[in-house]
Amino acid sequence: MLLVEKVANRVIKQDPGEIQTFFSLPTSVLHHTSPSLQIRTLTTLLHESKRLASCILHPDIVGPTFLEVSSEDASNTPLSTLLRRRSQALIIFVGSALKSPASGSKATKEELSNFVAALISLAALQVGTNPDRSIDE
């Protein structure tokens, strides 16, 4: 998660073809684990993405972030924008990681069910009508 969040600001601004370059290290680390652990890790990333998106929609419940906001980012960009970028970067990484096939044993039905449930939960997140708290950009 740290490796993905670190490049979040740059990933969001890149063309889809260039994104793989930014995710080469985290993808390599992920693919050196079992498919079961990969699915559990990707599920955790989706939960974190949802948590960050919820913090945008409900700023009164903002908790600590996995990667602290740098002083450079904090002075130039609103917190909601940083959280949105991180949330989007995590989702983009999950999609990118799923495009590369895993070898070895398969994940269990329960792990796959949890992954699909996390995807549905994230997709069903209520966006709201306040443009300052928009997550759908």
Side-chain angles (χ1 to χ4, degrees), residues 20 23-35 38 42 93-94 96-103:
Q20 281 300 113
F23 289 148
S24 60
L25 181 58
T27 301
S28 178
V29 170
L30 181 71
H31 286 163
H32 278 82
T33 63
S34 70
Q38 289 178 32
L42 295 175
F93 174 73
V94 169
S96 174
L98 289 174
K99 289 179 184 176
S100 304
S103 61

Side-chain angles (χ1 to χ4, degrees), residues 5-80:
E5 285 193 4
K6 190 70 176 164
V7 296
N9 287 333
R10 290 177 278 173
V11 166
I12 299 305
K13 299 173 186 177
Q14 296 302 314
D15 294 325
E18 297 174 352
I19 289 176
Q20 281 300 113
T21 304
F22 288 103
F23 289 148
S24 60
L25 181 58
T27 301
S28 178
V29 170
L30 181 71
H31 286 163
H32 278 82
T33 63
S34 70
S36 180
L37 182 57
Q38 289 178 32
I39 291 296
R40 289 194 314 265
T41 301
L42 295 175
T43 302
T44 300
L45 293 176
L46 291 175
H47 287 299
E48 177 63 8
S49 179
K50 181 182 178 190
R51 189 187 72 77
L52 292 172
S54 295
C55 289
I56 297 166
L57 298 173
H58 309 287
D60 52 316
I61 61 166
V62 173
T65 58
F66 186 76
L67 178 64
E68 290 297 322
V69 177
S70 70
S71 58
E72 179 183 311
D73 287 340
S75 63
N76 298 332
T77 311
L79 180 60
S80 62

Side-chain angles (χ1 to χ4, degrees), residues 103-118:
S103 61
S105 63
K106 303 292 181 204
T108 67
K109 285 184 179 183
E110 180 182 357
E111 291 163 342
L112 292 173
S113 293
N114 289 340
F115 178 77
V116 171

